[in-house]
Amino acid sequence: MAEIEECTHNCETCGANCASREGGQQKDMHEPVNDASTVKRVIGIVSGKGGVGKSIVTSLMAVMFSRKGYSTAILDADITGPSIPKAFGIKERAMGSDYGIIPVKTHSGISVMSVNLLLENDTDPVVWRGPILAGTVKQFWTDVAWGEVDYMFVDMPPGTGDVPLTVFQSLPLDGIIIVTSPQELVSMIVEKAVKMANMMNIPILGVVENMSYFVCPDCGKKHYPFGESNLEKAAKEYELDILARLPIDPANAKACDEGRIETVINEAASAAADKIEEKLTL
């Protein structure tokens, strides 16, 4: 057990002779994608803590890339707190076929797979232990017939537990987006995510600050309810690109609650999508 606890998951800097090695080389632990699937790019949405809006950022990125004309998908890896189906107004259940589980399509054609699409009632709690949660995420990759996908976004649960580790190890991530909020905890949130990404040798595409400010509907002035942001300091310290600052917008929140996130117009999210596209096509 001590050997596992001390593992950094980076065989290049480790001298231990463990099961992760084959012939002295780091073992490729990526799971094979479903035979009826071709996924070109996989992007993880992560954070060191909960409540910062990873699901909203995931949904917005999928919508923005879909508007660019790409075939887009969302793998909802937040098994115990899935919120993606509600944001898109999905009420039907995923169905099986000879090729695997068929993801549900949103109004604009985004493919979605979430545990809520398999439950009898979407309010049923998922009371599973870590290994089962991690296994379910793997199955969302190996057993779902995704078809042709240009960009897949993976909505991860907060922290650095079993499920995020499974995603980092099992899926061929092209990069991650770190989501944070403008509070004193920002440095800790960013540092946790950065360290995990570095341990797993996953590129960091940049950071998105959610709930950054709100614009007064009367005077048009920006207000900062969480105080002055520390994002620039954290981004500079860890050499991260600031992709976007997303405002608090009651209209956007209402759209998510009503399953209409595909109708949202968000210039900051659109600009972030442009930056990500450029990074991954260079």
Side-chain angles (χ1 to χ4, degrees):
M1 181 63 70
E3 183 175 311
I4 295 176
E5 292 175 348
E6 295 171 1
C7 180
T8 65
H9 307 285
N10 185 349
C11 296
E12 294 180 0
T13 60
C14 174
N17 184 20
C18 65
S20 295
R21 289 178 176 273
E22 285 186 356
Q25 300 296 320
Q26 186 169 2
K27 180 180 177 181
D28 185 359
M29 301 178 68
H30 292 159
E31 296 286 336
V33 72
N34 177 273
D35 289 339
S37 308
T38 301
V39 182
K40 296 179 182 178
R41 298 286 190 183
V42 184
I43 301 172
I45 314 297
V46 308
S47 181
K49 69 180 293 293
V52 296
K54 289 184 301 301
S55 296
I56 296 297
V57 173
T58 302
S59 300
L60 286 173
M61 289 299 101
V63 169
M64 299 305 156
F65 272 84
S66 178
R67 288 178 185 171
K68 288 174 174 287
Y70 291 110
S71 173
T72 311
I74 298 177
L75 190 160
D76 189 356
D78 194 355
I79 305 297
T80 59
S83 56
I84 297 294
K86 181 175 177 58
F88 285 90
I90 299 174
K91 299 186 182 300
E92 62 264 44
R93 296 293 173 256
M95 305 297 290
S97 74
D98 292 339
Y99 302 102
I101 303 170
I102 304 300
V104 176
K105 294 280 190 179
T106 69
H107 299 295
S108 65
I110 298 171
S111 297
V112 174
M113 188 64 233
S114 171
V115 74
N116 262 15
L117 305 181
L118 302 174
L119 300 176
E120 183 175 350
N121 300 298
D122 58 12
T123 55
D124 290 345
V126 177
V127 188
W128 298 342
R129 294 191 182 277
I132 299 178
L133 297 174
T136 301
V137 170
K138 284 185 182 181
Q139 287 185 290
F140 282 176
W141 176 252
T142 61
D143 295 359
V144 174
W146 292 101
E148 298 284 338
V149 175
D150 295 318
Y151 284 89
M152 174 181 285
F153 296 90
V154 183
D155 184 20
M156 295 202 211
T160 55
D162 281 344
V163 173
L165 180 58
T166 295
V167 173
F168 273 70
Q169 288 183 327
S170 302
L171 273 62
L173 292 176
D174 293 281
I176 64 167
I177 299 170
I178 300 173
V179 182
T180 185
S181 57
Q183 297 160 304
E184 283 296 327
L185 289 173
V186 63
S187 295
M188 181 193 73
I189 296 169
V190 171
E191 185 173 359
K192 282 180 178 290
V194 167
K195 285 184 175 179
M196 186 172 189
N198 289 340
M199 287 169 63
M200 306 302 294
N201 295 318
I202 304 295
I204 301 172
L205 299 174
V207 58
V208 171
E209 183 178 78
N210 194 30
M211 301 178 286
S212 183
Y213 60 89
F214 76 90
V215 178
C216 175
D218 297 323
C219 67
K221 183 179 179 181
K222 288 184 179 180
H223 297 273
Y224 300 87
F226 295 107
E228 187 175 345
S229 173
N230 295 308
L231 184 59
E232 285 88 355
K233 180 180 178 181
K236 183 177 180 181
E237 181 176 356
Y238 301 107
E239 299 181 344
L240 302 176
D241 185 13
I242 299 176
L243 298 173
R245 287 183 168 88
L246 302 182
I248 298 171
D249 190 336
N252 289 354
K254 184 179 181 182
C256 288
D257 289 342
E258 296 177 352
R260 298 184 292 102
I261 195 166
E262 288 164 293
T263 67
V264 167
I265 304 298
N266 190 304
E267 293 182 2
S270 179
D274 290 341
K275 291 181 181 179
I276 294 166
E277 181 186 28
E278 183 180 356
K279 287 173 179 283
L280 293 178
T281 54
L282 288 176

